[in-house]
Each structure stands twice: as structure tokens, then as C-alpha cells.
Amino acid sequence: PTPVTTVMICNIPCRISVQDLQGALDGHSFYDLYNFCYVPPAFRLARSSNLGYAFINFTSLDAAQRFQIEFEGFRFPDANSAKACTVRPANVQGFEANVKRLGRRTWARGNVWCS
């Protein structure tokens, strides 16, 4: 089986941006442990909304497993939302496969591809 390094985090509040998600990751000591972070925008709903989920690729299996433990049930403290996050393996695994899948919709910020 393919090792799971890419996860899908669900039930994130709709106003959470990629910067907010990265802030939460970095605040939980995941800084430099992920190389891909994508929060799909909900353009039709509101300019600053997301679809309620995101994809993160970690640089190791251990980091992905630790993320799943720490973020299962996580609530974003400043989001004014009672939503509790769930974490599961993403259908597309790995940095290269995710960048290829998203193509031009992503942009690089430092060493993390994000959108």
C-alpha cells in the first residue's frame, strides 16, 4: 500500500483561509513538515469563503499521522464556529501528484504550494 502523506481535513469553517490554516499548522509545530496546502475557494458562495475542506501533503508519514491525531476534532479558535474538524487520507497522494492535479490553480509561497 502507498504510504499516506496527503490528508483531507474536513469541516473547516467557511471563512478559514489558506493563511489561517497554515497558521494553525505552524502553531502546532508542523512548520517545515508540509510542502502542499490547498484550500479550495467557494467563488460562487462568497469571495472569501472556502468549500469546508482542504488538502495538506506532509513530508513524512510520521508528520501526517501526528496531524491526524492532533487535528481530529480540532476547532479553529478565532473562527466563531462550532465545527469540529475530521481528518482522512486524501484520494490523491504525494506532492507531485497534487501539484499536477491542480496545475495553474496553485502558486508557490516559499517552499509550500498553496492556494
Side-chain angles (χ1 to χ4, degrees):
T2 303
V4 174
T5 59
T6 306
V7 298
M8 178 181 189
I9 181 171
C10 304
N11 293 334
I12 62 173
C14 292
R15 297 282 182 210
I16 294 296
S17 68
V18 69
Q19 292 84 5
D20 296 329
L21 179 55
Q22 288 178 303
L25 287 164
D26 297 348
H28 283 257
S29 300
F30 287 100
Y31 184 80
D32 282 344
L33 296 179
Y34 61 98
N35 55 12
F36 180 89
C37 182
Y38 177 63
V39 179
F43 292 120
R44 293 183 184 171
L45 298 176
R47 190 164 180 82
S48 62
S49 289
N50 68 58
L51 294 176
Y53 59 89
F55 299 96
I56 306 160
N57 185 69
F58 291 91
T59 56
S60 73
L61 178 60
D62 289 342
Q65 290 174 335
R66 184 167 66 87
F67 174 82
Q68 185 164 4
I69 291 167
E70 289 188 28
F71 276 78
E72 185 68 33
F74 179 77
R75 288 181 170 84
F76 285 85
D78 297 328
N80 197 23
S81 173
K83 285 185 176 183
C85 295
T86 60
V87 181
R88 64 181 187 212
N91 289 337
V92 177
Q93 287 295 312
F95 174 80
E96 298 287 335
N98 276 286
V99 170
K100 183 177 179 182
R101 180 173 133 296
L102 291 172
R104 294 177 189 250
R105 288 184 285 178
T106 59
W107 50 272
R109 190 187 118 213
N111 66 343
V112 178
W113 283 79
C114 51
S115 179

